[in-house]
Amino acid sequence: MKVRTRFAPSPTGYMHIGNLRTALYTYLIARSMGGQFILRIEDTDQERYVEGAIDVIYKTLKMVGLEYDEGPDIGGPYGPYVQSQRKEIYQEYARKLVELGGAYYCFCPKERLDALREECQKKNIPFKYDGHCKNLSAQEVEEKIRNGEKYVIRQRIPSTGTTTFHDEVFGTITVENSTLDEGVLLKSDGLPTYNFANVVDDSLMRITHVVRGSEYLSSTPKYNLLYQAFGWDIPTYIHLPPVMKEAGKKLSKREGDASFEDFYNKGYLVEAIVNYVALLGWSPGDDREFFTLDELKKVFSISGLSKAPAIFDVNKLRWMNGEYIRKKSVEEFNQLALPYYRESVKTDNIDFMKLSRLLHTRVEILSEIPESIDFIDELPEYDVAMYIHKKMKTNLENSLEHLKKSCEVLEKLEQWNEERINEVLKELIQKLGVKNGQVLWPIRTAISGKQFTPGGAIELLDLLGKEESLRRIRIGIEKLEKANT
């Protein structure tokens, strides 16, 4: 039998990291086993539906390279692939399940159910439907429906015995049937609950491997009873432990935790995010950390999944992103950086390739670029105390002296490039008999006004050009003269 997996998100907002991981693992299981990957939109909870969220799902899957074989926008043999368009299918199978003895009509009004919930709360026990309508005769049911009484369809669960299922991550699990609630399968508005719709869809769409969060482990016995009642094959279950932002606290979009789109907009590379997310709960069995998506398709295995929750470490993602940036050529990095350059630099004569050579090995996230180069258009206000550097052995007096001498030799320079700037400043340093830093630190401070810059004094002089560099050095000289008087 051909392996078929499905990613079935709810369109309730952005794609959070846990959701992306589920999509990735579902895709990798299919591809690593030569199978098919299906996209299905589970939108039966219309109250949580967010306008535009389906487009976010399409866009994110496309960006990260998770190509699906069937889905709402491309069709397939088992459509429609949007649950709200399958209402009649669920109604048909709900009625069929009643006939098979796996479900029953329930006419309990809201008031009765609320009273039952309140009673359970007082006793400090979980809510469980008491089966009030379970034994209505076919005639009684028919009469109530004919009278226009509202109803739901509930799952019929044996009151004795156990239900056992096997999960590829958590092993074999057995539960007492008496602990299971006879939940609603079809609501009074004719729409299914998640618990019913996903079982019907997974069977009709020939899904062989079901990948979802471990929070659904407790519901899985009820899914198995549905499969059994219909006489359907039970799929292979792969339940994933949660992604935590810290021990005991799950990542949650309701709490504003970052989504895939947030990280992408902050300047993280798609391939770095995908690589990092793949390692959140899966191990290749060795110390290797870097994988392309194509490599993951070859090496991924269900046996590498962990049952322990994964901790999302943004610092590890940041490090990995920096490594991915450094693996790119300067030309590739320049293309990625251009939007940030154009946003931050309005000066016409800046050579962006020169800037990229300076930044390429220093940047971990692309969004750091504007802050790194904010001195280019305009010299920021800075305190003369910046000229004092213990390691460089600079103070206000020698900084002023060396800045004046540097200005003199640089003014005479006809060919303004990195090589010639380096030559004349080295000559000056030798003539003065001082360490490099005593000359170069004051220059870097004067032309950038910053403690940390993407390059040293010589690179920055070349980048800014002769006229602008000398203008800033003269400003530095004025500042130091005032400070020294």
Side-chain angles (χ1 to χ4, degrees):
M1 184 187 291
K2 193 177 218 23
V3 168
R4 284 172 60 85
T5 67
R6 50 74 169 169
F7 176 52
S10 299
T12 55
Y14 57 70
M15 180 86 77
H16 64 85
I17 292 298
N19 223 8
L20 177 59
R21 186 189 67 165
T22 300
L24 178 61
Y25 287 177
T26 306
Y27 171 83
L28 292 174
I29 288 167
R31 295 295 184 250
S32 65
M33 300 170 81
Q36 294 172 314
F37 174 60
I38 288 89
L39 173 65
R40 184 173 77 222
I41 303 297
E42 297 195 339
D43 63 344
T44 54
D45 189 350
Q46 289 291 305
E47 288 183 9
R48 293 180 62 214
Y49 176 81
V50 173
E51 193 68 40
I54 293 177
D55 290 332
V56 169
I57 294 166
Y58 293 152
K59 180 184 174 185
T60 303
L61 293 180
K62 185 176 181 181
M63 286 177 71
V64 298
L66 304 188
E67 296 178 357
Y68 40 94
D69 302 288
E70 301 164 28
D73 54 335
I74 60 174
Y78 302 105
Y81 293 89
V82 178
Q83 286 189 336
S84 59
Q85 297 170 15
R86 298 171 64 83
K87 187 174 177 180
E88 290 77 14
I89 296 172
Y90 305 128
Q91 291 172 348
E92 175 194 341
Y93 278 91
R95 288 192 293 269
K96 187 175 181 181
L97 190 61
V98 172
E99 291 170 14
L100 292 168
Y104 59 91
Y105 291 91
C106 173
F107 298 89
C108 289
K110 183 178 180 295
E111 293 75 21
R112 183 179 185 281
L113 295 174
D114 286 345
L116 190 59
R117 280 194 182 85
E118 199 174 315
E119 192 179 323
C120 289
Q121 283 178 345
K122 284 178 184 174
K123 293 178 181 176
N124 201 25
I125 58 173
F127 171 76
K128 191 167 176 287
Y129 180 64
D130 61 1
H132 180 73
C133 296
K134 193 171 187 174
N135 298 314
L136 290 173
S137 67
Q139 290 79 12
E140 288 174 306
V141 168
E142 195 176 323
E143 187 180 342
K144 285 177 177 290
I145 291 174
R146 195 166 50 244
N147 291 337
E149 289 189 39
K150 279 192 168 186
Y151 65 85
V152 298
I153 293 179
R154 287 185 181 274
Q155 183 174 6
R156 187 186 293 276
I157 293 174
S159 56
T160 59
T162 60
T163 297
T164 298
F165 70 95
H166 179 77
D167 180 77
E168 293 296 305
V169 177
F170 289 88
T172 300
I173 297 171
T174 299
V175 299
E176 298 286 336
N177 290 334
S178 59
T179 64
L180 302 175
D181 180 33
E182 296 190 317
V184 173
L185 302 178
L186 198 73
K187 296 179 280 189
S188 58
D189 60 4
L191 283 172
T193 58
Y194 168 84
N195 288 337
F196 186 56
N198 87 86
V199 168
V200 171
D201 287 346
D202 286 344
S203 183
L204 296 184
M205 294 179 184
R206 307 290 189 266
I207 302 303
T208 62
H209 291 65
V210 170
V211 185
R212 59 180 167 231
S214 59
E215 64 268 26
Y216 292 105
L217 274 170
S218 60
S219 301
T220 302
K222 296 198 284 188
Y223 303 151
N224 269 21
L225 289 169
L226 289 173
Y227 281 111
Q228 289 165 1
F230 279 118
W232 291 339
D233 291 336
I234 293 171
T236 299
Y237 293 122
I238 300 118
H239 285 86
L240 305 173
V243 179
M244 318 289 280
K245 62 179 170 185
E246 56 191 64
K249 195 162 188 183
K250 282 174 65 175
L251 280 177
S252 166
K253 61 181 174 184
R254 289 183 184 179
E255 290 192 19
D257 289 322
S259 67
F260 163 79
E261 204 167 355
D262 290 332
F263 282 111
Y264 177 75
N265 290 337
K266 284 176 186 173
Y268 288 85
L269 305 186
V270 170
E271 54 266 46
I273 299 171
V274 170
N275 190 157
Y276 180 68
V277 168
L279 299 172
L280 284 174
W282 171 79
S283 169
D286 55 29
D287 294 332
R288 185 178 172 189
E289 290 189 289
F290 292 92
F291 297 90
T292 65
L293 188 58
D294 282 339
E295 288 168 341
L296 285 168
K297 285 190 275 187
K298 292 172 186 171
V299 302
F300 190 87
S301 66
I302 295 170
S303 61
L305 294 171
S306 169
K307 66 172 68 173
I311 302 294
F312 185 87
D313 182 351
V314 72
N315 291 321
K316 179 72 180 285
L317 172 59
R318 183 190 182 96
W319 166 80
M320 183 170 274
N321 198 69
E323 293 297 307
Y324 265 92
I325 286 175
R326 283 184 276 282
K327 285 179 181 181
K328 294 195 175 292
S329 67
V330 177
E331 290 74 18
E332 288 171 327
F333 173 73
N334 188 62
Q335 285 303 308
L336 291 170
L338 277 176
Y340 297 90
Y341 295 162
R342 288 176 178 140
E343 175 192 325
S344 308
V345 179
K346 306 304 176 191
T347 305
D348 294 332
N349 62 344
I350 297 298
D351 185 333
F352 288 156
M353 273 301 294
K354 281 184 182 178
L355 193 52
S356 288
R357 288 189 194 97
L358 298 180
L359 287 168
H360 184 210
T361 58
R362 291 175 168 91
V363 168
E364 286 190 318
I365 310 169
L366 295 175
S367 58
E368 295 173 341
I369 291 173
E371 189 181 350
S372 300
I373 61 175
D374 59 3
F375 66 92
I376 291 176
D377 272 4
E378 190 175 340
L379 181 66
E381 278 297 323
Y382 65 93
D383 195 303
V384 287
M386 280 182 61
Y387 285 99
I388 302 168
H389 197 299
K390 281 187 180 180
K391 189 179 176 184
M392 302 294 181
K393 297 183 178 175
T394 60
N395 53 45
L396 297 182
E397 291 77 17
N398 62 24
S399 290
L400 175 59
E401 179 194 348
H402 296 153
L403 211 51
K404 280 181 174 178
K405 287 188 164 38
S406 299
C407 190
E408 287 171 14
V409 297
L410 289 170
E411 280 175 336
K412 295 172 185 172
L413 195 57
E414 292 182 7
Q415 284 183 290
W416 191 271
N417 56 53
E418 202 172 311
E419 189 180 348
R420 287 293 295 129
I421 294 167
N422 187 42
E423 283 175 12
V424 297
L425 289 179
K426 273 195 172 177
E427 286 172 13
L428 175 63
I429 290 164
Q430 286 176 352
K431 185 179 174 183
L432 293 171
V434 296
K435 298 284 187 186
N436 289 353
Q438 283 191 290
V439 170
L440 299 181
W441 179 259
I443 292 174
R444 189 161 78 118
T445 301
I447 62 177
S448 72
K450 289 171 74 82
Q451 194 167 3
F452 303 103
T453 57
I458 291 164
E459 293 96 339
L460 296 185
L461 286 165
D462 179 42
L463 180 73
L464 291 171
K466 182 175 182 178
E467 186 181 334
E468 180 63 15
S469 295
L470 290 172
R471 184 184 75 82
R472 295 184 181 198
I473 289 171
R474 291 181 191 116
I475 290 171
I477 291 168
E478 287 176 20
K479 278 178 172 281
L480 285 165
E481 283 177 337
K482 284 180 185 175
N484 280 302
T485 54

